[in-house]
Amino acid sequence: MDLNVLTAISPIDGRYRGKTEALAEYFSEYALIRYRVRVEIEYFIALCELPLPQLQDFDHSLFEPLRDIYRTFTTADAQRVKDIEKVTNHDVKAVEYFIKERIDAMSSSEAATSWQRYKEFIHFGLTSQDINNTSVPLSVKEALEQVYYPLVEELIEQLHDYAEEWKNIPMLAKTHGQPASPTRLGKEVMVYVYRLEEQLRGLKETPVTAKFGGATGNFNAHHVAYPQYDWRDFGNTFVAEKLGLEREQYTTQISNYDWLGAIFDAMRRINTIVIDLCRDFWMYISMDYFKQKIKAGEVGSSAMPHKVNPIDYENAEGNLGIANAILQFLAAKLPVSRLQRDLTDSTVLRNVGVPMGHAVIAFQSTLKGLRKLILNEQKLQEDLDNTWAVVAEGIQTILRREAYPNPYETLKALTRTNEKMTAETIVRFIDTLDVSDAVKEELHAITPATYTGL
């Protein structure tokens, strides 16, 4: 059976491929191989720029043709690496051999002749994790910047637009599912803008770190071959300037993964906020505060023709739940390894794109749901008009200010009954109070629609 969107096992590569395809540039097998090639080539160039004695006469004009190996990297190139891996049974060694093979393929050019004596400085002094633990963080960093951040920012922008549009719309609040002091719809949306902005800022400030230090993190091979160089400084400069990452200073053979875990935790917090948002808007729709735009031809239920279900929020909530479960596992598992390393991180790292895929699906579904909303302002006003008991807080607070005896208890006796509180009920109560006419006028001005605070 050929692999395609209908035969894929994972829904992010099957049913939702259209929503997640952009992530293939960062987390597919092809992408991982391309990142490895990129790191290997940039490392060789850095050795030339150092320069090592044997590389000091290397023609720097060849750097760009060398970079073209990863810049123009194709799926056919990736397949060639996989074919080499069938022989080596080692994925990173296959990348090294592929690069050397490409250099050999330049034999017809003058450049290739000068290449031959430099080839053994490809992957010089490195272990495979120096490549993996730079390639994966680099793919995470660039996927965040190119795919994840723009989607979160688009979601924030949409919410901010609604917060501004609805800033003066009064709404009955619900705490514990019961009527509470009124609020404004725009402000409640702004709560999510604020939360997402704060967590996105924190995520962007989280360092993306990499391991680069040889077989057990000590630059053993580099130091024994060239003890005159400060290899720690070289590693720091290479990782920062060539890759845009931050080098972990003390490691075993593999990354500590602590900061990668922090990134996953930060993503999980953002996802959790969006789950909260989706549940709220699902509830608002069920309360008839919003209608949904109807698209011709769509079916809400196979049995009930009238149904227009809030499926976008449900889809988002489900995908974010899966994403968070995987993110939590990644953050907890990756920093743990036996002694100087075991291999469990290797297979786990191949899944870092999976939770981002589910999050990307969810963010797009959330945006789709938000953009289908039609405000039912009449229903919001009806709920306020039917819940006059919520002004009791404001009344008793003013009475406290006026030193009225037992104001809280007085309002409690009035409102904590099964009888419906109406505007007339409140008006009659205020008129019985032993307070000045000015205070009564102040109290009469409080309505569910005006008692919305700042």
Side-chain angles (χ1 to χ4, degrees):
M1 187 181 292
D2 293 334
L3 177 62
N4 56 49
V5 294
L6 294 177
T7 60
I9 296 173
S10 167
I12 62 175
D13 285 321
R15 179 178 180 85
Y16 300 117
R17 178 68 176 182
K19 292 184 176 182
T20 62
E21 190 170 4
L23 292 176
E25 287 293 321
Y26 308 95
F27 299 119
S28 62
E29 184 74 1
Y30 154 79
L32 177 58
I33 296 170
R34 190 189 71 238
Y35 274 107
R36 286 167 168 166
V37 172
R38 175 177 166 185
V39 173
E40 290 276 17
I41 288 173
E42 290 297 340
Y43 169 64
F44 175 83
I45 291 173
L47 291 178
C48 293
E49 292 174 333
L50 187 56
L52 288 183
Q54 287 80 0
L55 298 175
Q56 61 185 353
D57 61 343
F58 184 82
D59 184 356
H60 287 202
S61 69
L62 299 177
F63 288 169
E64 295 311 307
L66 184 57
R67 287 185 168 114
D68 284 341
I69 296 176
Y70 71 78
R71 287 172 177 164
T72 61
F73 196 76
T74 66
T75 54
D77 293 328
Q79 185 58 56
R80 177 55 192 156
V81 175
K82 297 300 290 184
D83 291 342
I84 298 171
E85 185 184 342
K86 291 176 183 177
V87 178
T88 63
N89 198 30
H90 195 286
D91 49 5
V92 175
K93 200 66 177 176
V95 168
E96 176 189 343
Y97 288 168
F98 167 79
I99 296 172
K100 290 178 177 178
E101 188 176 89
R102 287 293 301 269
I103 292 170
D104 290 337
M106 299 166 64
S107 58
S108 61
S109 70
E110 183 180 342
T113 304
S114 62
W115 263 112
Q116 299 306 312
R117 62 192 178 96
Y118 304 116
K119 284 198 306 181
E120 289 311 312
F121 287 92
I122 301 294
H123 200 71
F124 178 80
L126 300 182
T127 184
S128 58
Q129 288 309 107
D130 294 316
I131 302 302
N132 290 330
N133 287 167
T134 47
S135 295
V136 172
L138 185 56
S139 70
V140 170
K141 177 177 182 288
E142 293 185 344
L144 287 171
E145 291 172 347
Q146 300 301 318
V147 181
Y148 185 88
Y149 293 160
L151 263 177
V152 177
E153 287 164 350
E154 185 179 355
L155 178 57
I156 291 172
E157 183 179 4
Q158 179 63 71
L159 291 168
H160 192 276
D161 288 346
Y162 277 153
E164 182 65 23
E165 180 181 346
W166 300 330
K167 64 182 180 181
N168 295 319
I169 304 296
M171 180 180 77
L172 184 67
K174 293 288 183 72
T175 60
H176 308 278
Q178 305 302 307
S181 296
T183 183
R184 278 165 289 117
L185 179 57
K187 175 261 171 177
E188 296 308 314
V189 176
M190 197 65 195
V191 168
Y192 286 107
V193 174
Y194 169 74
R195 293 174 67 187
L196 287 170
E197 285 180 337
E198 287 292 294
Q199 294 306 317
L200 182 60
R201 177 182 55 79
L203 174 55
K204 288 182 175 181
E205 291 174 356
T206 303
V208 186
T209 65
K211 179 265 175 180
F212 192 83
T216 54
N218 309 324
F219 288 107
N220 299 40
H222 294 79
H223 180 68
V224 75
Y226 297 101
Q228 67 271 35
Y229 292 99
D230 184 342
W231 289 106
R232 281 175 291 198
D233 180 68
F234 170 85
N236 291 339
T237 301
F238 168 67
V239 171
E241 296 184 1
K242 296 289 187 180
L243 305 180
L245 306 172
E246 184 176 314
R247 180 176 168 269
E248 298 167 15
Q249 298 301 303
Y250 294 92
T251 69
T252 59
Q253 185 177 89
I254 62 175
S255 169
N256 301 317
Y257 297 119
D258 298 327
W259 283 110
L260 194 57
I263 288 171
F264 295 150
D265 284 337
M267 292 173 64
R268 190 157 54 93
R269 288 194 296 275
I270 289 174
N271 291 349
T272 299
I273 293 169
V274 179
I275 289 174
D276 198 22
L277 181 152
C278 287
R279 290 181 178 177
D280 274 2
F281 275 97
W282 189 98
M283 290 291 292
Y284 290 144
I285 291 169
S286 75
M287 294 157 63
D288 207 26
Y289 285 1
F290 293 101
K291 305 290 187 181
Q292 296 182 93
K293 294 175 184 176
I294 299 172
K295 186 176 181 180
E298 283 191 351
V299 174
S301 166
S302 63
M304 295 172 282
H306 71 283
K307 295 291 287 293
V308 182
N309 297 326
I311 56 174
D312 301 302
Y313 305 100
E314 296 166 346
N315 176 280
E317 183 179 341
N319 275 286
L320 290 169
I322 294 172
N324 279 2
I326 299 173
L327 288 169
Q328 184 173 25
F329 168 74
L330 291 172
K333 185 272 158 293
L334 285 172
V336 180
S337 183
R338 295 170 182 86
L339 302 180
Q340 279 64 58
R341 89 154 300 183
D342 62 44
L343 200 63
T344 54
D345 67 307
S346 179
T347 189
V348 168
L349 279 175
R350 290 181 178 274
N351 292 277
V352 297
V354 176
M356 199 176 297
H358 284 288
V360 163
I361 295 166
F363 296 155
Q364 292 179 66
S365 292
T366 304
L367 280 164
K368 183 179 178 183
L370 290 173
R371 288 165 179 166
K372 288 164 64 173
L373 294 175
I374 301 172
L375 178 62
N376 185 4
E377 193 171 350
Q378 180 181 349
K379 177 60 177 176
L380 273 75
Q381 188 60 52
E382 286 177 3
D383 277 5
L384 287 167
D385 291 341
N386 289 330
T387 320
W388 273 79
V390 294
V391 302
E393 179 196 34
I395 293 172
Q396 64 96 8
T397 303
I398 289 177
L399 293 179
R400 283 173 182 260
R401 184 195 70 195
E402 297 297 315
Y404 193 89
N406 303 316
Y408 177 88
E409 290 73 18
T410 301
L411 269 297
K412 177 183 174 183
L414 173 70
T415 60
R416 198 176 172 91
T417 69
N418 289 323
E419 295 181 10
K420 181 179 176 61
M421 291 290 108
T422 66
E424 292 73 20
T425 307
I426 298 299
V427 167
R428 287 196 300 270
F429 169 77
I430 293 171
D431 288 341
T432 66
L433 295 173
D434 185 15
V435 294
S436 68
D437 289 342
V439 172
K440 287 183 179 180
E441 184 178 352
E442 187 178 1
L443 295 176
H444 281 309
I446 302 173
T447 72
T450 61
Y451 184 55
T452 57
L454 297 175

